[in-house]
Structures are given as C-alpha cells and as structure tokens.
Amino acid sequence: MTERLVLHEYSQSGNCYKIRLTAALLRVPLERREYDIAKGETRTPEFLAGINPNGRIPVLQVGDRFIPESNAACFYLADGTRLVPEDRFDRADMLHWMFFEQYNHEPNVATLRFWRAFVGEDRLGEAQRAQIPAKQAAGEAALKLLDDHLALRDWLVGDRPTLADIALYAYTHVAGEGGFDIAAFPAIGGWLDRMAGEPGYVAMGG
Amino acid sequence: MTERLVLHEYSQSGNCYKIRLTAALLRVPLERREYDIAKGETRTPEFLAGINPNGRIPVLQVGDRFIPESNAACFYLADGTRLVPEDRFDRADMLHWMFFEQYNHEPNVATLRFWRAFVGEDRLGEAQRAQIPAKQAAGEAALKLLDDHLALRDWLVGDRPTLADIALYAYTHVAGEGGFDIAAFPAIGGWLDRMAGEPGYVAMGG
C-alpha cells in the first residue's frame, strides 16, 4: 500500500470502527480525521463536493480518491490478504454476510443504539418512535440468525476470521447500548471473545 | 463453472433479476425455481432449514451450497470476469455502489414500488404509510446522486459496465412503478438505454 490512507470518521460509529479494525489486524497505518456528525460536519458543501456526495462517513481516502461505504473500504484494505478468502465460494459467502449486515443488522441494531444511547429516546420524533418495535424485532431476528450460525462454527466463513466477522462484530459487540440482550445469544458471546483476542485487535472509539 | 446453478427467485423482484441479468450477460446457464412470496413460500420450515434461514429470496444455489443476498450472488457469478474490475481501487469502488444500492436505494426505491405496485397503498398498515414521505425523499436523493454521477460518465465505475451498474439498474429501471419520476433524471435515462443495449441483455420478469 504505497498511497496515503486517510479515514474520514466519527470514532463512535461502528461503521468507521470496521475500517480501523481491519487496518489494525493487517498492521496498515491509517491517518484519521474526525467529524462531528451532530454539528452537520459531513453535510457541508466542501464535504459533499470533495469527499462524499452522500454526506456520510466513513470514507476511506486513498491518495486523492475516496471510497464511501464501510464494507467497501474494508474490502479495499483487505483485498488479497488473509481477511478475504481465496476460495471463490467463500469470498461470495463473506460478501453475503456483509450485505446481510448492511440490510438486516445495521439499520436495526445500529440505529436503535444511535437513537437510545446518542440521541436519547425522549428526543426522537414521532416517526422514529413508531419504528422502534419493528426495529427491535428485526434486530433480534438478525442476532438470532447470527447466533444460530455461530453455534456450529468459530467464524462466519471458513476456519478463520474474515471481513464478514469484522463487519458484524462492529455493532454486535455494542448492541447492549441499543437495548439488545446479548447474553441471550451464547454463541455470539464466545465469538465476540475470539474477535477481541485476535492479534492486533483495537477497541472501538480509541 | 462446473457445478449446477439454481436461482431460487420471485421473478418480479429486482434483486432476483440482478442475478439473472448477470448470468445472461456472461452467458452462464441458470436453472430457475419460482416462489410465491405472497403465499409465504420462502418462510416454510423447509426453506428456512434448507435454503435460507433469513427467509428471503434470491438465493443462488451452487451445487449443494447456497448464497443469499443478491449482490453476493452476482459477485460469485462474475468473480474473475469483465464485470468485476481488475484494478483494486475500482473493485472496491464497484462494491461501494453495491452497498449504496442496498442501503440507500433499495429500501426506498424498491420498497415503494412493492408497496404501491404490488401490495396497493390502500392495503398498507399505518406504520408503513407513515414511512412513505421519508422513503420518497430518500429514494429521490439516491436517484439524484446516481444521476449526478452519470452526468459525467457512461458507467458507474471505469469505462464499461460492472456489477455496480447491474445492481443499480434493477430497481432504477422500474422506479416509475414506485412513483418516482425517472424523466427528471436525464443522465439516468441514457444509462438505462446503454444497459438495455448490452449484448446478452434480458428483460425483467421474463
């Protein structure tokens, strides 16, 4: 990796953490630039024109080019390393878990964490409050599916950690902050411990 | 590709169509098995145990193994072909568009199409109806971002079609059925025409 890598981030975001954890496990140095999303720092004209027209972090800067979407940025860092399986089926299976994370897990588990631990339930709008029961149920279903899968194996794909584990670890290990009872999912508990024991592991938010 | 490939699908689903279009452009033969999602055929104990514990289609069957998540299935089919860029940055940039599709585009553009053209607005529940304005605005924002990007180039990544174009084509070309005014996005119009002109192209639902 010869080009300069800069992570445009908000350090409490699990999506940003995925990229930092991938880089740490691979011992790839990243510069970091913090944005205050509560102050709208990712919606300024400069950010939209220069970094991400979607107005979101994380964005991984590679030289003078930019990769939005956390799981795509992780793929860039890990492409060709042990964190992406060499086997064609396993590589697609890894992506299956990463798309599951963004579609079924993050919009429920991460959103409830953000609403409850960062915004505060009393500050939510009516439309948000109305979505809580559905998001709670969908988040629990996603965690149940993950737990069932991990009951039979140590890692989501193959016999070692891949980007699938990193992508799902990020918001699962702080799901308690969103009101989810992680203790109800015993296989997830063991998997979280295995992830935290990986050489090079870094904690969130640091 | 020596193993038998079976697409478990609902032929009106854009997510299923992505896989069929990828296979068609690559001249890869697929068997197809249709499910009636309105009758709950993807939620039966047999489907959950044998095909996808998430109870969703599409699923790509490869021999006796299964890949859920449309974009992961497309990646399996196209891995190592011209539809996945050889360049590392471009490959991650393609995935960026595919994750954008599942996070910002599909839950708005595809969901409103399903609610308006398949369920019927008068049959929606209160919680669904309350989400329509936000989904309309978010869908228009996703289409605007796509249109702005395509105003300067023929394809989403590099100088030829990739899985990014296929993933975003699927629900964009039928966005009108969801109440979106595609004529308001002129660059998207030209890009839809280019996609439909690709050798091997097949139409949705056929």
Side-chain angles (χ1 to χ4, degrees):
Chain A
M1 208 95 55
T2 54
E3 289 185 280
R4 177 185 174 213
L5 297 170
V6 183
L7 176 58
H8 298 265
E9 69 167 340
Y10 167 61
S11 59
Q12 295 302 317
S13 153
N15 285 324
C16 299
Y17 172 52
K18 290 172 196 171
I19 301 171
R20 212 161 64 79
L21 180 54
T22 300
L25 295 179
L26 295 172
R27 320 277 183 184
V28 172
L30 278 185
E31 297 175 48
R32 299 167 65 185
R33 168 130 188 236
E34 181 85 4
Y35 294 80
D36 188 336
I37 52 175
K39 289 189 183 154
E41 288 181 357
T42 65
R43 307 273 175 179
T44 64
E46 294 72 25
F47 188 93
L48 296 174
I51 296 174
N52 184 5
N54 201 17
R56 303 172 73 96
I57 43 91
V59 176
L60 179 65
Q61 181 177 347
V62 180
D64 57 3
R65 298 185 294 176
F66 299 88
I67 305 173
E69 300 296 329
S70 57
N71 290 343
C74 290
F75 196 95
Y76 178 80
L77 291 176
D79 204 352
T81 76
R82 70 182 189 281
L83 296 178
V84 175
E86 283 182 37
D87 176 76
R88 179 184 188 152
F89 183 92
D90 285 353
R91 198 159 47 236
D93 196 33
M94 178 192 81
L95 286 169
H96 136 233
W97 285 107
M98 295 167 80
F99 282 107
F100 165 82
E101 190 267 336
Q102 284 288 286
Y103 199 88
N104 286 101
H105 187 283
E106 201 266 11
N108 303 303
V109 176
T111 298
L112 285 189
R113 170 180 177 258
F114 185 69
W115 288 355
R116 287 173 163 156
F118 292 79
V119 179
E121 267 195 73
D122 51 334
R123 290 187 181 174
L124 295 177
E126 269 314 303
Q128 291 172 317
R129 222 184 304 266
Q131 290 178 61
I132 290 179
K135 284 187 182 289
Q136 182 82 36
E140 283 168 10
L143 292 169
K144 173 76 164 58
L145 193 150
L146 196 58
D147 194 58
D148 287 348
H149 188 73
L150 289 167
L152 302 174
R153 44 183 77 71
D154 281 352
W155 305 104
L156 290 172
V157 178
D159 55 7
R160 62 186 180 192
T162 69
L163 293 182
D165 300 283
I166 292 171
L168 279 152
Y169 178 81
Y171 284 110
T172 301
H173 89 297
V174 291
E177 298 174 20
F180 295 95
D181 178 16
I182 279 295
F185 304 104
I188 286 179
W191 168 75
L192 295 180
D193 291 343
R194 284 189 290 282
M195 278 298 291
E198 280 297 296
Y201 175 88
V202 291
M204 190 164 168
Chain B
M1 209 95 54
T2 53
E3 289 183 280
R4 177 184 175 215
L5 297 170
V6 184
L7 176 59
H8 298 265
E9 68 167 341
Y10 168 62
S11 60
Q12 295 302 317
S13 153
N15 285 324
C16 299
Y17 173 51
K18 290 173 195 172
I19 300 170
R20 213 161 64 79
L21 181 54
T22 300
L25 295 179
L26 295 173
R27 319 277 182 187
V28 171
L30 279 185
E31 296 175 48
R32 300 167 64 186
R33 165 129 190 239
E34 181 84 5
Y35 294 81
D36 188 336
I37 53 175
K39 290 189 182 152
E41 290 181 357
T42 64
R43 309 269 174 180
T44 63
E46 294 73 25
F47 188 93
L48 296 174
I51 296 174
N52 184 6
N54 201 17
R56 304 171 73 97
I57 43 91
V59 175
L60 180 64
Q61 180 178 349
V62 180
D64 56 3
R65 297 184 294 175
F66 299 87
I67 305 174
E69 300 295 330
S70 57
N71 290 343
C74 289
F75 196 95
Y76 178 81
L77 290 176
D79 203 352
T81 77
R82 70 182 190 281
L83 295 178
V84 174
E86 283 182 39
D87 176 77
R88 178 182 188 154
F89 184 91
D90 285 353
R91 196 159 49 237
D93 196 33
M94 177 193 81
L95 286 169
H96 137 232
W97 285 106
M98 295 166 79
F99 281 106
F100 165 82
E101 189 266 337
Q102 284 288 288
Y103 199 88
N104 286 102
H105 187 282
E106 201 265 14
N108 302 303
V109 176
T111 298
L112 285 188
R113 170 179 176 259
F114 185 70
W115 287 355
R116 286 174 164 154
F118 292 78
V119 180
E121 265 194 75
D122 52 334
R123 290 187 182 176
L124 296 177
E126 271 312 303
Q128 292 173 317
R129 222 185 304 266
Q131 291 179 58
I132 289 180
K135 285 189 180 289
Q136 182 81 37
E140 284 168 10
L143 292 169
K144 172 75 163 57
L145 192 152
L146 196 58
D147 195 58
D148 287 348
H149 188 74
L150 289 166
L152 302 173
R153 45 184 77 73
D154 281 353
W155 305 105
L156 290 173
V157 177
D159 56 5
R160 63 185 180 194
T162 68
L163 293 183
D165 299 284
I166 292 171
L168 279 153
Y169 178 82
Y171 284 110
T172 301
H173 90 297
V174 291
E177 297 174 20
F180 295 96
D181 179 16
I182 279 294
F185 304 104
I188 286 179
W191 168 75
L192 294 179
D193 291 343
R194 283 189 291 281
M195 278 299 290
E198 281 296 297
Y201 175 88
V202 291
M204 190 164 168

